Amino acid sequence: LAALDEMVATANGLGAYVLWGLREKEPNTEQVTMPDDADQQAMAALATRYKDKPGVLYSLQVEPHGQHSWAELLPRWVSMTDAIRAAHPKALIFVPGTQWARYVHWALTQPVPRPNVVYVSHPYDLWTTISGTYRLDEVKAIFPVMIGEFGTGTQMDHQTVLSLLDWADSTKVSWAAWAFDDEAGPVL
C-alpha cells in the first residue's frame, strides 16, 4: 500500500490521474476472467483509502474474458460500482466490455444503471472490424468512451493504429496505448 500511496502522491503532484484496475490476483500471474467478491472488496478498499485524493479513478477490471457474457458481467459491474461508490460517492468508474474488453456496445441496450461511468474498449482488431462491429460511434453518442489499450501486434497493424488515433482525435475520445515499448507486444 505504501507503493500505491507513493504513486498517487506523485500523480497528484503532477496533476495526472491514476487508474486502478483489477488485472490479476498476484503479480505476474494469469489475468482473472471475471472479478469475484474478494476483488470487489479490494476495489472498495482502494476507494476508501483514496476517497479524498483527486485524480484517482477506478476500472472494474482490465480485460474480462472467457465465456463471460455481458448479461453475466453486468450484475458484477453494478455491485462493484456500488461498493466503490459507498466509499467514494463521486468516483469515476471505468467499465470494460466483453471479450478482453473489446465490445462495449452492450451498453446500448443494457447500460450500467449508474451515473459517471465510462465504457472502456480494447480494440485489438483491424480497422474494418473496429469501425463496424465495435459500434463505438453509437456508444460514444450516448456514453463516455475510452480506448483503454491498443497497439500493433497480433491482430492490429500500424495503419489501424493510425486510423484509431485519427478517429479518437476527431471524436474527442480519450485513449491509453499498450504499450510504449518496442519489445513487449502489442506495442505502440
Side-chain angles (χ1 to χ4, degrees), residues 1-186:
L1 290 174
L4 300 183
D5 292 345
E6 185 177 334
M7 288 179 212
V8 169
T10 300
N12 281 180
L14 295 171
Y17 296 95
V18 173
L19 177 60
W20 297 132
L22 171 68
R23 184 172 177 89
E24 54 215 22
K25 299 282 188 184
E26 297 290 332
N28 302 314
T29 61
E30 292 293 317
Q31 289 189 49
V32 297
T33 61
M34 179 178 165
D36 60 21
D37 290 342
D39 300 321
Q40 179 172 311
Q41 292 167 4
M43 292 301 289
L46 288 173
T48 298
R49 188 172 188 89
Y50 300 113
K51 66 183 176 190
D52 297 322
K53 300 292 183 184
V56 177
L57 313 170
Y58 303 88
S59 181
L60 302 181
Q61 184 177 355
V62 175
E63 294 177 322
H65 57 281
Q67 299 301 315
H68 300 295
S69 67
W70 185 254
E72 186 179 2
L73 291 167
L74 184 58
R76 177 57 70 182
W77 296 159
V78 171
S79 65
M80 287 181 81
T81 298
D82 290 347
I84 292 167
R85 294 260 175 81
H88 188 339
K90 294 182 179 180
L92 189 58
I93 309 291
F94 289 73
V95 178
T98 59
Q99 297 180 20
W100 298 93
R102 279 181 166 85
Y103 302 111
V104 295
H105 65 275
W106 313 109
L108 294 169
T109 56
Q110 295 178 300
V112 172
R114 301 295 184 265
N116 298 322
V117 298
V118 177
Y119 291 94
V120 180
S121 177
H122 295 183
Y124 287 114
D125 283 303
L126 294 177
W127 182 245
T128 53
T129 302
I130 296 167
S131 62
T133 306
Y134 280 67
R135 301 173 64 189
L136 292 175
D137 281 318
E138 292 177 64
V139 178
K140 72 150 187 71
I142 301 169
F143 305 106
V145 171
M146 179 181 176
I147 304 302
E149 286 187 19
F150 63 95
T152 58
T154 54
Q155 295 103 324
M156 199 174 216
D157 61 23
H158 185 69
Q159 185 54 53
T160 294
V161 169
L162 295 176
S163 296
L164 181 65
L165 288 172
D166 286 345
W167 175 82
D169 184 50
S170 69
T171 60
K172 306 296 185 224
V173 168
S174 297
W175 57 270
W178 186 272
F180 290 110
D181 190 325
D182 62 355
E183 294 178 16

